[in-house]
Amino acid sequence: MTSDPLAPLDLAFWNIESAEHPMHLGALGVFTAHSPAAGAHAADLLAARAAAVPGLRMRIRDVWQPLAPLAFGSATREAAPDFEPLDHVRLHAPTDDFQAAAGRLMERPLERGRPPWEAHVLPGADGVSFAVLFKFHHALADGLRALMLAAAIMDPMDMPEPRPRPAQAPRGLLPDVRKLPGLVRGTLTDVGRALDIGTSVARATLDVRSSPALTSEPTGTRRTAGVVLDLDDVHRVRKTVGGTVNDVLIAVVAGALRCWLDERGDGSEGVAPRALIPVSRRRPRTAHPQGNRLSGYLIRLPVDDPDPLGRLRAVRTAMDRNKDAGPNRGAGAVALLADHVPPLGHRLGGPVVGQAARLLFDILVTSVPLPSLGLRLGGCPLAEVYPFAPLARGQALAVAVSTYRGRVHYGLVADAKAVPDLGLLARALSEEVETLITACRS
């Protein structure tokens, strides 16, 4: 049986998980059903197709090899010999609230002894829709890889044939001695980069006021919500003010947080929470596309600015500054530090790192790419799709966003006890776009 050592960041995600803070990604897809039995048919299709997707057969196994010190305390990704798709695809009773059901299911950690993913099929009580909640452990896949795995068990699409990649030698647990001089030079460069990142992290933690509403003691509970916006409205703002679509979407989050904090009585004055904006470092046709290749930008959300266009300009300036520096430097690149920690360090230090998330950032705002082509399952079109990010220890809220077929979908994940009014924030997101459009007209 062949195995692939986990990349350092994958190993970090595997080891910082706890029962109260499971480290899985999620996506809730809502489909238009052609019959009341469409949900049950979809569950059968998912189970049948999963058996043919190699990536869905992969489990993560701990490695303890005293004779291989560089791998001691590591983990590998390997095919599970007893993989049973029916253990991973579950059909639930009909429901009239997909988001409430998704919140309860997002609470549950994935079973670590078998391939860490699940698909939950939720038939709609109305008989004209059904939803599928996909869950993938972050050590198994990042957002792009999770999308590829989920798309592999949807209905086939007419896609261009991928260009063949040159064969790659299997990675071993020990480095090739012929490459040691280059590895030494690379290590010295990486150490300098790590010091730059560490210094930036220290500076980023100074003189910041967040809000108690964005922090939480672990309760293990989850609540989700979804918001759909018209992408044309976002483009209208972008064309008027400048910047990118992503700048506008982040500014919408800042404005919604301001409205939400004021409405719930916490107040937004002086609040500038640090938002971690993940950045993919994945290159096309990499030899090991299943591993996480992430960096990030760290910006302060201008929640305290009463001017909606001022908030957008502040976001644009901060993002431009991060882009000029690049994804390999700055406090947001803290994920790259995982490459400088030996496997045993991840094993022993995982719980400590998990608790330190609140010191590094206050809220995660991530973008998950989706194909422009319409997806189907059992002939039923995918109408809505809400991405869900993992919720870090000590944090009460995470925001993920995707664009799909002319619409923007925000997926919100919150600690259910810390944020019982998540619906208010969802409503504020919808209203903030109108606020920006009105400001552009004036």
Side-chain angles (χ1 to χ4, degrees):
M1 178 186 300
T2 60
S3 61
D4 182 33
L6 256 63
L9 188 54
D10 298 343
L11 189 60
F13 288 139
W14 188 245
N15 286 310
I16 65 176
E17 182 174 62
S18 67
E20 294 81 14
H21 285 86
M23 288 301 298
H24 53 252
L25 311 167
L28 180 68
V30 180
F31 296 81
T32 302
H34 49 58
S35 75
H41 179 55
D44 291 340
L45 284 177
L46 292 174
R49 294 171 178 174
V53 180
L56 296 178
R57 304 177 63 93
M58 305 303 287
R59 68 176 180 182
I60 295 174
R61 184 175 64 86
D62 293 333
V63 173
W64 297 97
Q65 295 187 20
L67 297 181
L70 294 180
F72 189 68
S74 184
T76 61
R77 191 184 289 107
E78 62 183 31
D82 54 351
F83 174 67
E84 175 50 66
L86 292 177
D87 291 338
H88 297 264
V89 179
R90 299 166 189 174
L91 177 65
H92 294 259
T95 178
D96 57 4
D97 192 336
F98 294 140
Q99 291 289 351
R104 292 189 294 270
L105 292 169
M106 286 294 289
E107 293 178 2
R108 307 176 186 174
L110 295 165
E111 293 190 31
R112 293 169 71 93
R114 61 189 189 187
W117 69 274
E118 292 174 351
H120 297 269
V121 181
L122 308 167
D126 56 11
V128 298
S129 63
F130 68 90
V132 180
L133 175 68
F134 289 101
K135 294 166 56 178
F136 294 95
H137 199 287
H138 215 335
L140 179 70
D142 59 13
L144 182 57
R145 176 64 175 171
L147 168 65
M148 294 168 59
L149 291 173
I153 48 180
M154 296 288 187
D155 291 356
M157 294 188 297
D158 293 330
M159 300 291 287
E161 289 293 325
R163 286 183 287 179
R165 294 196 306 264
Q168 299 285 335
R171 290 192 296 177
L173 296 179
L174 293 174
D176 186 338
V177 294
R178 294 169 296 180
K179 299 179 180 179
L180 285 179
L183 290 173
V184 171
R185 287 193 298 271
T187 298
L188 292 176
T189 301
D190 289 347
V191 168
R193 183 184 304 162
L195 290 174
D196 284 346
I197 295 170
T199 302
S200 298
V201 168
R203 286 198 300 264
T205 60
L206 299 176
D207 191 28
V208 174
R209 180 176 175 238
S210 182
S211 169
L214 299 179
T215 61
S216 170
E217 293 303 320
T219 70
T221 61
R222 292 291 181 272
R223 188 184 306 273
T224 68
V227 179
V228 181
L229 306 178
D230 191 327
L231 184 58
D232 286 342
D233 289 340
V234 176
H235 279 299
R236 190 173 297 117
V237 174
R238 179 190 62 79
K239 290 176 182 178
T240 302
V241 182
T244 67
V245 166
N246 201 40
D247 293 341
V248 177
L249 297 178
I250 295 171
V252 167
V253 173
L257 287 174
R258 175 183 175 83
C259 179
W260 176 63
L261 291 173
D262 287 341
E263 188 169 350
R264 76 197 320 249
D266 290 323
S268 59
E269 184 177 356
V271 173
R274 297 157 301 177
L276 179 64
I277 316 294
V279 177
S280 176
R281 296 170 60 242
R282 183 187 301 279
R283 290 179 294 180
R285 304 178 183 90
T286 52
H288 299 276
Q290 67 270 33
N292 279 279
R293 300 289 297 169
L294 293 173
S295 181
Y297 298 147
L298 193 69
I299 72 170
R300 296 188 186 182
L301 295 180
V303 172
D304 56 345
D305 190 339
D307 177 15
L309 296 184
R311 292 192 292 267
L312 178 51
R313 285 191 291 267
V315 167
R316 179 183 176 185
T317 299
M319 290 296 289
D320 286 346
R321 187 184 306 116
N322 275 283
K323 292 171 186 175
D324 288 343
N328 294 330
R329 293 185 180 276
V334 66
L336 302 183
L337 297 180
D339 294 338
H340 306 281
V341 178
L344 188 58
H346 284 293
R347 178 83 56 181
L348 299 178
V352 176
V353 173
Q355 296 182 41
R358 71 172 73 184
L359 301 176
L360 300 173
F361 61 96
D362 303 299
I363 185 172
L364 179 73
V365 182
T366 184
S367 177
V368 181
L370 289 176
S372 57
L373 298 175
L375 298 173
R376 292 176 177 268
L377 180 56
C380 300
L382 176 64
E384 304 168 17
V385 57
Y386 303 98
F388 298 134
L391 195 59
R393 177 180 291 273
Q395 296 175 342
L397 177 68
V399 180
V401 59
S402 288
T403 57
Y404 176 68
R405 309 209 76 185
R407 299 200 293 176
V408 177
H409 294 78
Y410 281 95
L412 310 178
V413 177
D415 184 287
K417 293 184 179 179
V419 188
D421 57 348
L422 189 61
L424 292 179
L425 178 58
R427 187 185 69 192
L429 283 167
S430 297
E431 294 173 348
E432 181 62 16
V433 175
E434 293 301 323
T435 299
L436 282 166
I437 292 174
T438 301
C440 289
R441 291 172 179 162
S442 59

